[in-house]
Amino acid sequence: AQKVTQAQTEISVVEKEDVTLDCVYETRDTTYYLFWYKQPPSGELVFLIRRNSFDEQNEISGRYSWNFQKSTSSFNFTITASQVVDSAVYFCALSEWETSGSRLTFGEGTQLTVNP
Amino acid sequence: ETGVTQTPRHLVMGMTNKKSLKCEQHLGHNAMYWYKQSAKKPLELMFVYNFKEQTENNSVPSRFSPECPNSSHLFLHLHTLQPEDSALYLCASSPVAGGLENIQYFGAGTRLSVL
């Protein structure tokens, strides 16, 4: 069955530190998509990135970067030079067809606190 | 601003009340979703609507009744709720349902407290 595990429940760092949020997924499908969302205290989930299972290239967007490794079923998210505004809950999610008809399966989230 | 607006942002209701949550999207999407987010739990998908038709009901109790009059609006009617229904209710939309690659865009949610 599909599953997304975010083992880090809470992470606390000091501003300007780099931080990596881990995401491990389980799926039997060969075609799937992975997502990261950010949920700030205001509540809405903000889409950050989508990656398909055939594209293992790492991606960088400003201070954000993502490392997708199919060999370890991981899709980790790194924030470089963290800022207080990065404080939020971050969710990793999986979309697959064969098993769940493209329903999004979310991990339990990682609460990131960036202290000044 | 994600283009998905939910009202009210906060709601307190007694177990015998009837209330409704509203969601409106301005993204031209055809699929809309209701999720429940409880403390310490992953997001739970409740309902999916595609082109105004309900395509998924994830074993949600009948005290939650969704309504989708058009592709831009989604309601969740609440009746005789239980304290364990207290949670953040999130609405989302996407171009269509059933697309692997679809990005779902979320509203800010309604924080519901049932007394």
Side-chain angles (χ1 to χ4, degrees):
Chain A
Q2 72 281 9
K3 187 178 177 182
V4 176
T5 302
Q6 295 179 253
Q8 304 148 308
T9 306
E10 296 181 23
I11 300 176
S12 182
V13 299
V14 177
E15 209 170 15
K16 297 185 184 176
E17 282 186 29
D18 298 347
V19 57
T20 295
L21 310 181
D22 297 333
C23 173
V24 174
Y25 62 92
E26 294 177 31
T27 178
R28 285 184 237 174
D29 287 17
T30 56
T31 303
Y32 52 89
Y33 279 76
L34 294 162
F35 302 79
W36 275 96
Y37 283 86
K38 172 183 179 180
Q39 186 177 37
S42 53
E44 79 277 17
L45 270 73
V46 178
F47 166 75
L48 296 178
I49 189 173
R50 174 189 63 192
R51 175 54 51 86
N52 77 56
S53 52
F54 298 108
D55 182 4
E56 286 193 72
Q57 280 196 340
N58 291 333
E59 182 156 342
I60 298 174
S61 176
R63 296 184 298 107
Y64 295 171
S65 63
W66 291 269
N67 182 271
F68 176 29
Q69 292 196 344
K70 286 178 76 170
S71 60
T72 55
S73 297
S74 65
F75 186 43
N76 296 336
F77 173 30
T78 297
I79 303 174
T80 304
S82 59
Q83 300 176 0
V84 173
V85 293
D86 295 327
S87 297
V89 182
Y90 290 86
F91 291 94
C92 181
L94 166 71
S95 172
E96 56 191 353
W97 176 250
E98 292 173 31
T99 307
S100 60
S102 82
R103 172 193 294 196
L104 270 183
T105 300
F106 285 87
E108 295 192 10
T110 297
Q111 169 73 61
L112 173 65
T113 302
V114 182
N115 298 298
Chain B
E1 181 61 46
T2 63
V4 180
T5 304
Q6 291 187 244
T7 54
R9 293 295 311 278
H10 301 274
L11 179 62
V12 179
M13 57 187 290
M15 290 191 286
T16 58
N17 291 158
K18 288 185 183 180
K19 296 286 184 183
S20 296
L21 310 185
K22 179 182 177 182
C23 176
E24 183 175 2
Q25 58 95 1
H26 305 277
L27 300 170
H29 291 164
N30 292 299
M32 297 188 78
Y33 310 76
W34 279 117
Y35 285 86
K36 176 182 179 182
Q37 186 178 24
S38 305
K40 311 293 184 186
K41 283 186 175 181
L43 272 76
E44 300 172 57
L45 179 64
M46 300 174 72
F47 301 103
V48 180
Y49 277 82
N50 202 24
F51 291 94
K52 303 189 298 178
E53 299 298 319
Q54 187 180 123
T55 55
E56 188 160 349
N57 176 337
N58 195 24
S59 302
V60 180
S62 59
R63 57 186 184 268
F64 295 91
S65 174
E67 178 190 2
C68 189
N70 54 62
S71 292
S72 299
H73 294 85
L74 184 65
F75 296 88
L76 188 62
H77 304 299
L78 314 172
H79 175 54
T80 321
L81 294 192
Q82 305 299 310
E84 60 265 28
D85 296 322
S86 298
L88 180 67
Y89 288 85
L90 290 161
C91 173
S93 72
S94 69
V96 291
L100 263 185
E101 74 284 8
N102 278 334
I103 298 168
Q104 292 183 25
Y105 294 88
F106 286 79
T110 295
R111 174 72 62 187
L112 174 67
S113 297
V114 181
L115 305 179

